Amino acid sequence: MADKKILALIDELEKNKTLSDNDFLFLLSQLKHADEETENYLYTKADTVRRKTYGIDVYLRGLIEFTNHCKNDCYYCGIRRSNTNVSRYRLTKDEILDCCKTGYEIGYRTFVLQGGEDAYYTDEKVCDLITAIKKQFSDCALTLSIGEKSYESYKKYYDAGADRYLLRHETADPEHYRRLHPEELSGEFRKNCLYQLKEIGYQVGCGIMVGSPGQTDLHILKDLRFMQELQPHMIGIGPFIPSAGTPMHDQPAGTLEDTLHLLSILRLMFPQVLLPATTALGTIHPTGRELGIKAGANVVMPNLSPTGVRDKYLLYDGKICTGDKAEECRHCMEGRMKRNGYQVVVSRGDYPETR
């Protein structure tokens, strides 16, 4: 039988978009033991809120993983610089444009350039890529996910035509951040990057790994408070999945349930936010992405990278869809969404206030 106090807190969260610290901590802790009735109540509330803004539309983002070189050595990441087992690659400009062409022909109107923090891609090279993509696909949105840069670099990319920027903050707690990252990286610097991106004019995305090593409900509460302060346009969360070749290879993965609960909480807090059902969610459960959409998400990010490099961009173990052609991913995702009562749409899928 559903706990009336939990249901009341879900109702309060839907109404007020926030809770007190104690109520958030209570809700997070109790959801770990929630029965099916309680979970369904939460998911239905989140789905209803999402439908008020987005209906049954699900937006596609064509993901292009264009380099797996990275100067950083994050303890959880499969492409960290110390992982000598990684076969490194960089896509050429023509290869990237070919990925965009394929994606455009099958209905993508947003491309996401994602890569490690690779010094080979100078500001000049990045701006050249942006200009070429926007010239050839002028009705498409372009998202960058290439890590921490200076304000000046971010401004150059924006002026060249980039629309959005994804930069997961990973954790808002300094001690937890230190557990996940080496000394040369700073959680405060990373958060400041997000504020700078928003100031410049990007649609900005932050996010965390659910169940990352050492994460507690108090850490998640701090993340929720940081997001309330930042007011991002996009929030990317997915379960932590351990990766071979990293110091955290033997840590337990985050759970499907915790991730779905947090997706719904975020939807209730941020009714208009663009919220992906991530590949990681589909990796830990065969229908993880569909369940994520039912829990309030409204974005999926199929892979447009050439199949020959997809198994080299492994941030974590067991990543799905590394062998599927772009057309197969597109049609598979469309069918999956349709079977669950949603529709994939050909659209840039902008945040409502920026349309």
Side-chain angles (χ1 to χ4, degrees), residues 188-334:
E188 287 305 308
F189 181 84
R190 196 168 185 87
K191 286 191 285 187
N192 192 52
C193 285
L194 286 162
Y195 286 113
Q196 290 180 344
L197 288 161
K198 198 169 184 190
E199 178 185 329
I200 289 168
Y202 286 94
Q203 293 178 53
V204 175
C206 64
I208 65 171
M209 296 177 293
V210 180
S212 60
Q215 187 182 67
T216 67
D217 289 342
L218 185 57
H219 294 146
I220 293 176
L221 173 62
K222 290 183 179 181
D223 291 318
L224 296 178
R225 294 301 186 213
F226 168 68
M227 292 177 198
Q228 285 181 311
E229 186 178 294
L230 178 67
Q231 288 295 308
H233 307 92
M234 306 169 283
I235 300 174
I237 70 165
F240 165 75
I241 302 176
S243 177
T246 72
M248 295 181 167
H249 68 93
D250 58 351
Q251 296 297 302
T255 69
L256 172 74
E257 293 77 16
D258 286 348
T259 307
L260 294 177
H261 297 160
L262 194 54
L263 279 171
S264 289
I265 287 170
L266 290 169
R267 175 56 67 198
L268 296 178
M269 292 177 68
F270 305 98
Q272 295 185 320
V273 80
L274 293 158
L275 194 61
T278 62
T279 302
L281 199 55
T283 297
I284 65 168
H285 190 280
T287 59
R289 286 175 292 183
E290 295 94 314
L291 293 170
I293 296 295
K294 289 180 177 180
N298 66 320
V299 172
V300 287
M301 299 173 66
N303 206 320
L304 285 177
S305 305
T307 54
V309 302
R310 287 193 203 169
D311 61 355
K312 298 176 183 178
Y313 197 90
L314 296 180
L315 306 183
Y316 50 81
D317 292 348
K319 183 178 176 183
I320 57 172
C321 301
T322 57
D324 296 344
K325 293 182 178 179
E327 296 89 342
E328 294 171 345
C329 285
R330 166 72 167 83
H331 296 307
C332 173
M333 189 55 59
E334 185 169 19

Side-chain angles (χ1 to χ4, degrees), residues 66 113 118-132 144 146-162 165 202:
F66 70 104
L113 284 184
D118 183 355
Y120 170 83
Y121 287 98
T122 61
D123 287 353
E124 184 180 2
K125 285 187 172 72
V126 173
C127 288
D128 181 58
L129 278 174
I130 295 167
T131 301
L144 300 180
I146 54 177
E148 297 174 5
K149 307 289 182 181
S150 67
Y151 183 97
E152 292 73 25
S153 294
Y154 289 144
K155 186 69 164 62
K156 288 176 184 176
Y157 307 157
Y158 185 77
D159 290 343
Y165 206 102
Y202 286 94

